[in-house]
Amino acid sequence: MVQTPMISCPLKQTSEVDWIQPLKGHIRSVYGEDPERYNEECATLNRLRQDMRGAGRDSAAGRDLLYRYYGQLELLDLRFPVDENHIKISFTWFDAFTHKPTSQYSLAYEKASIIFNISAVLACHAAIQNRADVKGVKVAYHSFQASAGMFTYINENFLHAPSIDLSRETVKSLISIMLAQAQEVLVEKQMAEGKPAIMLAKLASQAAFLYAQAVEGITASNVSEVVFERVWMLVTQYKSSHMASLSQYYQAMTDAEANSHGSAIARLVKAETLARDASRVASSFPSSIAPTSNLPSDTASILTDQVKRHISSIQEKLASFIKDNDFIYHQSIPNEAALSVVPKLAAAKAIPVTELYAGQDIHRIIGQDIFQRIVPIAVTESASLYDEEKAKLIRAEAEKAETANDEMAAGLDYLKLPGSLNVLKGGLDQETAVDESFRGWCEELAGHESFGRAFEQLQSDKNAISAMLDSCSRHLDTEEASCEKMRVNYGPDWTQQPSSRLNSTLRSDIRSYRGAMEEANSSDLQLLTTSRQYESDFDEMRSAGETDEADVLYQRAMIKAGGGRGRGKNAMSPGGEGNLLDDDYGEGGTSIMDQIARIEDLLKKLNLIKRDRMEVLKDLKEKVHNDDISSVLILNKKSIANHESKLFEVELEKFRSHQNRLLQTIHKQHALLKELTKAYGDLLQDKRVRSEQAKYEGFTRQRNSVLSRYKKVYQSFNDLIAGLLRAQSFYTELKDTVESLKKNVEAFVNNRKDEGSQLLDTLTERAKSGNADGQADRERERLQQLMDRMTINRTPPSRSKSSASRPPPLSHTSQNGTMYSLNGAMYVGPPPNSPPYNMVTSASQYSSQLTPSSTPGFSGYPPNGAQNPTRMAYPAGYDPMQYPYQPRSPPANQMYPPNAAYGYPQQLPPGFVPPPPPPGPPPGSQGYGHAQSSVRPNGASPPGQGDPWAGLSAWR
């Protein structure tokens, strides 16, 4: 039998597109990676599009190839925004009906075109199936519905169609055609199988309705522009009339079976009318059909033959029904308008895209995610939210398991199980053995010496540190006293800074270290108290550990605590009483041994339940840790937008079995604990059992008391060792620090001595220079007076301006030394004895504050080449002149005005040397005596010894 032709949609055509360069540029600019690493991925996507262009229009392979490319586009859309503002790729597609090109930069346009082609391929694949075969019928029926589903997806997700073939009216018409053809396939199958007429009538009625919708859609689409082929209109009109005729025909058969013969005759008349309408449409088919219509060339003849056979069948039935009604039933024939509408039975529906490959491995068809190495941020965020949900699940189940374990431990501890069973079974001998932790404590104390030496070493270190601090204080006090003594002796000329301003940091360090010593000493006293408190216990445990007699010490301690054997009325002797397991109470009652065995069996079951619970929890944690739904999130990104929680709930259901198993273990544990409590309570009702239980409890308290005491001793021993180690480390570091402080103090004192020595040398040199200048002036003045007396003119001698303005020399003695006038400046001579400075050459970090040049009024060091016989050379690296110092105000205890008040310059120019006296002896120098100056600085040589100008001062 020749099958009825079916309509199939033509495919859209597209031009070539390059994916490689735009994707590489986006990877470089957005993801910051080397695009060359993704050469293979870009080439694979580009090759997929090329293959899609040549996909077969009537094969399952072509459908899979298109769907694979579409699936990769969906995955690509999660990582790469392909649009006019980001990755600009122009997609050009030609309209499937008008063949007009349309170009857009939108990836949605590319995906819509691919889905359109998938629908077209599905329709073509269904149309070529052999519907005489059962498999062909199933494939055709499923493919037409899947094609309708893909067209429905276009209408629901792509609202703004850029081309006519993707417009809502066109796609809606295609949906009606595909569903009508799927319904027709089912009608054909049911007719071939001889199904009841009432079902065939309903199925045909629904097919006629769908074809009528298709006719309306095609007519509306072709109003403004011809979209569909004319033959499509003719085919849908024909099938609409033909299916309506079939519906009336089979409804007439149903009415006849229901004894409605008049109605059956009226329906057959109406069926014949509809069939003749279909025949007229079939006869209007063109002689040649365009290949673009996707219909066979003999469509017209096939439809004509079909409708002729149908009309013949109608006429035969109609003649038979009329004859039977005229001779037998005599029922009235109703008008056509009075006939009821044939009910419709919708057997074809659009298959959603998600169910297109139902029962098949979608990952095998789409393939591996090409750009899986690039993880989208949205997917990462959703996966993180799912990880949080998994973590909540694990925390909840772990908390339940931990609570169950705690309840079990608390219940057994309250019942004192399983330890109390050992008493009832005669196992107290093992309980009285030495505790292993106690033996370990004794072994750790073995070999340790007494703490006396450690405390002696600490005391030795403290004494050494105190001695060094005292030495530093004495050095600073001595230096400060010497400086102030020189200041008193030399008055304002002693310009060395006061020591109290410079040694404040050192004295503060000394005070801080003494305070630290005092605080450490209190800690040392606490350690010493602890050592004396537990010294006897330390010795006992040390001896027990060294001689391997920890058990002896343990038993001795138990006896002292009242828990030893043979002491007290509750003492437990192994042979004093019979074993409780040997007794059987009551006739026919349960013996103690049986009760204990039952309790032990319950304990074993509890332990098994606990172990099973922990294994289930461990397995659950592993499965949760390895669960990754990134691929699910990527594939369902569009469908789960803002509905991730629902997807998470579905995914978490896979762990429901583990949760139920954990819950079952908790319920079993509760039941077993109740049973164990009851069984143990029954066991304790016996008086002897209660007596033995009381003995065991007393023994346990005594053992805990002994272990607690020696544990405290052991902890004190460890604390002592740790405290002594910290103390030794502290005093070692403090000793090093104080030694460094001592070196700094010595360097400070030595530098101050050097500075004072230099200042003393400077004052001595000044005194010598001033004395020589004064003697030369007086000799010149007296020589001038002598010459004036020897002149012929007796003009009174006139003093020079400089001589007249020079004040007469003054001389008086103060408590600070001898004060004298030299060149108009007041000087105070040094005291008879030299200051107690030892010339040292050490330098320290304080030298920058103690250089002689830093003192106010100091005129500088002697010129280059000048030697100071009273001062030793400075060590390498120490040069006081390289630290300039700004003059400061005089100290508060200075009683003299600044040097400038006496006419003495604040600072002599560097290299200044007083001028020598005139060469040669003055006339008349022989035979005149020279009066000694009443004031002479200490260390200056008296005049007249090697001075050629001696005696001139006596000329008047």
Side-chain angles (χ1 to χ4, degrees), residues 627-640:
D627 184 32
D628 184 12
I629 63 168
S630 298
S631 58
V632 177
L633 292 172
I634 291 175
L635 293 176
N636 298 278
K637 179 177 181 294
K638 298 296 179 65
S639 60
I640 66 171

Side-chain angles (χ1 to χ4, degrees), residues 243 616 708:
M243 287 296 152
V616 172
S708 176

Side-chain angles (χ1 to χ4, degrees), residues 457 460-461 464-465 468 729-741:
Q457 180 63 36
S460 175
D461 292 342
I465 294 171
M468 286 190 287
S729 175
F730 170 77
Y731 285 121
T732 300
E733 294 178 0
L734 183 60
K735 188 174 182 180
D736 295 340
T737 305
V738 172
E739 287 178 353
S740 177
L741 173 65

Side-chain angles (χ1 to χ4, degrees), residues 420-577:
S420 59
L421 291 181
N422 293 332
V423 180
L424 305 181
K425 293 190 301 182
L428 191 61
D429 291 338
Q430 288 77 16
E431 296 292 333
T432 57
V434 63
D435 191 89
E436 290 301 322
S437 58
F438 179 81
R439 186 185 300 275
W441 300 337
C442 294
E443 291 176 354
E444 288 195 29
L445 264 68
H448 285 277
E449 297 181 357
S450 176
F451 294 107
R453 293 186 179 180
F455 284 107
E456 291 176 0
Q457 180 63 36
L458 291 183
Q459 189 61 39
S460 175
D461 292 342
K462 289 190 288 185
N463 294 337
I465 294 171
S466 298
M468 286 190 287
L469 292 175
D470 294 340
S471 175
C472 292
S473 298
R474 286 196 304 272
H475 280 74
L476 293 177
D477 293 341
T478 302
E479 188 278 329
E480 186 172 354
S482 300
C483 178
E484 294 307 316
K485 181 178 180 181
M486 298 301 290
R487 192 179 312 282
V488 171
N489 291 339
Y490 287 93
D493 290 330
W494 190 259
T495 57
Q496 189 179 26
Q497 285 289 316
S499 299
S500 58
R501 298 183 181 180
L502 304 177
N503 60 14
S504 59
T505 302
L506 296 173
R507 292 189 181 275
S508 175
D509 291 344
I510 293 173
R511 288 193 299 271
S512 299
Y513 296 150
R514 290 189 186 276
M517 286 274 292
E518 293 175 359
E519 294 179 1
N521 190 51
S522 62
S523 300
D524 296 344
L525 291 177
Q526 294 178 3
L527 293 176
L528 184 59
T529 302
T530 303
S531 175
R532 292 174 178 174
Q533 180 182 355
Y534 296 104
E535 185 174 3
S536 59
D537 295 326
F538 291 159
D539 294 339
E540 288 181 353
M541 295 180 71
R542 183 186 302 110
S543 176
E546 291 174 351
T547 59
D548 196 16
E549 294 181 352
D551 53 346
V552 176
L553 178 61
Y554 180 76
Q555 294 296 337
R556 195 161 57 239
M558 290 291 291
I559 293 173
K560 185 182 297 184
R565 293 189 175 187
R567 295 187 59 180
K569 63 179 181 179
N570 291 332
M572 290 167 275
S573 60
E577 296 177 354

Side-chain angles (χ1 to χ4, degrees), residues 570-696:
N570 291 332
M572 290 167 275
S573 60
E577 296 177 354
N579 196 323
L580 291 178
L581 298 181
D582 298 332
D583 297 330
D584 194 349
Y585 296 99
E587 296 180 359
T590 305
S591 66
I592 294 179
M593 181 178 64
D594 294 337
Q595 296 183 56
I596 291 177
R598 182 165 175 263
I599 293 173
E600 288 180 338
D601 184 60
L602 292 175
L603 288 175
K604 289 180 180 179
K605 290 181 179 179
L606 281 174
N607 290 328
L608 288 175
I609 288 176
K610 179 180 179 182
R611 185 176 64 182
D612 183 49
R613 179 167 56 242
M614 300 313 295
E615 289 179 355
V616 172
L617 181 61
K618 180 181 178 182
D619 186 47
L620 175 62
K621 289 181 179 180
E622 290 180 357
K623 290 185 177 298
V624 169
H625 178 72
N626 297 327
D627 184 32
D628 184 12
I629 63 168
S630 298
S631 58
V632 177
L633 292 172
I634 291 175
L635 293 176
N636 298 278
K637 179 177 181 294
K638 298 296 179 65
S639 60
I640 66 171
N642 300 323
H643 300 286
E644 290 90 350
S645 58
K646 295 181 180 180
L647 176 64
F648 295 164
E649 292 177 0
V650 174
E651 291 295 328
L652 291 176
E653 283 296 320
K654 64 172 71 81
F655 308 116
R656 181 64 63 184
S657 60
H658 289 77
Q659 293 176 278
N660 292 335
R661 289 173 60 187
L662 289 172
L663 190 60
Q664 290 174 2
T665 60
I666 295 175
H667 291 330
K668 290 180 181 179
Q669 176 179 300
H670 289 164
L672 288 174
L673 281 175
K674 289 181 180 178
E675 187 177 356
L676 178 64
T677 303
K678 184 177 182 303
Y680 191 70
D682 295 341
L683 179 63
L684 293 180
Q685 294 302 318
D686 184 79
K687 295 181 179 180
R688 294 189 63 191
V689 172
R690 288 200 299 270
S691 175
E692 293 295 326
Q693 181 70 13
K695 293 177 184 179
Y696 175 72

